[in-house]
Amino acid sequence: MQKHILIVEDETAIREMVAFALRKAGMEAMHAPDARAAQAAIGERVPDLILLDWMLPGMSGIELARRLRKDELTREVPIIMLTARGEESDRVGGLDAGVDDYVVKPFSTRELLARIRAVMRRTHGEDGEGMVELGGLRIDGAAHRVFCGDQPVHMGPTEYRLLHFFMTHAERVYTRSQLLDHVWGGGVYVEERTVDVHILRLRKTLEPFGKHELVQTVRGAGYRFSTSV
């Protein structure tokens, strides 16, 4: 299925260069020169991935990323930040805002396409039909079911959403606050301690299958899903 990519970039030359590369790679490109136009485009059609410039006129790319992550419509849409700011503090700030990856300007379209494909694999899984497989676990997104091998793994809806988020964002550490935003939603007031409770429930659910160690505590930082046990 053809992927729809939204390019949010105020420089026309960069926007057109990226759009040409995307179309050549078999993807469909949508354009937006600023945050307002981007929100209007998303309202018409939710993209499969957003390429977002940091320095936009009006609302910045970072602020737009934060808003997109709090919106139920775009919460799960992967975002790659296009930026001339390559310092570590800037990258950390972007990741805290919910950005999935960075491409520092100037960049080649070849590198950009490789990053897009990598992020799509990481966030959507290898299968475009909603199947995610990692660490011996398999999520059937269409059926809303989890399997370990051929055995079904029964869990509550919150544990399911938590596991789905972890498996599509593996090997990255998330704070309790970030997990609340991504899994529960930014508009919902839930105490951070609630995350610990559901992590414990998820581990207990996975323990009979020997998969509880995939959900790891990173002391002083948060939690991650990792196949490196």
Side-chain angles (χ1 to χ4, degrees):
M1 185 180 292
Q2 190 178 47
K3 298 298 183 184
H4 300 270
I5 313 297
L6 175 60
I7 310 162
V8 188
E9 166 64 64
D10 62 319
E11 293 187 41
T12 305
I14 294 177
R15 213 164 56 235
E16 291 180 349
M17 175 192 73
V18 171
F20 176 78
L22 291 173
R23 287 192 292 268
K24 194 173 179 182
M27 304 178 199
E28 182 176 328
M30 301 182 288
H31 301 248
D34 55 36
R36 181 176 294 180
Q39 290 171 314
I42 291 167
E44 293 180 7
R45 180 169 196 170
V46 178
D48 294 299
L49 182 141
I50 298 170
L51 298 174
L52 181 58
D53 183 30
W54 181 303
M55 300 296 289
L56 292 172
M59 186 190 302
S60 71
I62 283 290
E63 179 57 31
L64 179 57
R66 290 194 183 99
R67 294 192 182 193
L68 293 173
R69 284 293 171 254
K70 291 180 180 179
D71 189 329
E72 187 175 351
L73 195 65
T74 53
R75 189 179 302 149
E76 299 299 328
V77 178
I79 300 171
I80 297 178
M81 185 70 79
L82 308 178
T83 178
R85 306 165 69 118
E87 292 81 6
E88 182 182 0
S89 60
D90 293 322
R91 292 198 302 273
V92 170
L95 292 171
D96 284 342
V99 171
D100 294 276
D101 201 357
Y102 262 86
V103 177
V104 178
K105 298 177 182 179
F107 55 82
S108 69
T109 54
R110 184 178 177 183
E111 177 194 4
L112 179 61
L113 289 171
R115 293 292 187 96
I116 289 172
R117 292 187 182 107
V119 168
M120 296 288 277
R121 284 195 301 270
R122 195 164 69 230
T123 56
H124 294 295
E126 295 292 337
D127 191 322
E129 297 302 315
M131 286 288 214
V132 184
E133 293 191 55
L134 194 64
L137 294 173
R138 183 175 83 257
I139 292 179
D140 182 343
H144 214 72
R145 298 181 70 187
V146 181
F147 297 88
C148 181
D150 294 326
Q151 292 181 285
V153 182
H154 301 290
M155 62 184 66
T158 301
E159 287 71 47
Y160 174 87
R161 292 197 307 271
L162 192 56
L163 180 63
H164 188 281
F165 178 77
F166 273 138
M167 288 180 64
T168 54
H169 298 78
E171 309 297 340
R172 284 176 53 183
V173 178
Y174 289 90
T175 65
R176 293 176 180 86
S177 177
Q178 288 171 327
L179 288 171
L180 284 174
D181 283 343
H182 287 294
V183 179
W184 278 262
V188 179
Y189 176 74
V190 182
E191 291 185 3
E192 289 191 358
R193 181 66 182 168
T194 302
V195 176
D196 301 332
V197 173
H198 286 284
I199 290 285
L200 181 61
R201 288 179 185 172
L202 178 58
R203 284 175 174 155
K204 284 185 176 179
T205 300
L206 297 176
E207 190 170 9
F209 304 91
K211 300 298 181 182
H212 56 291
E213 292 184 348
L214 294 171
V215 181
Q216 302 172 3
T217 300
V218 180
R219 192 174 297 277
Y223 297 101
R224 72 175 164 222
F225 186 97
S226 176
T227 55
S228 301
V229 178

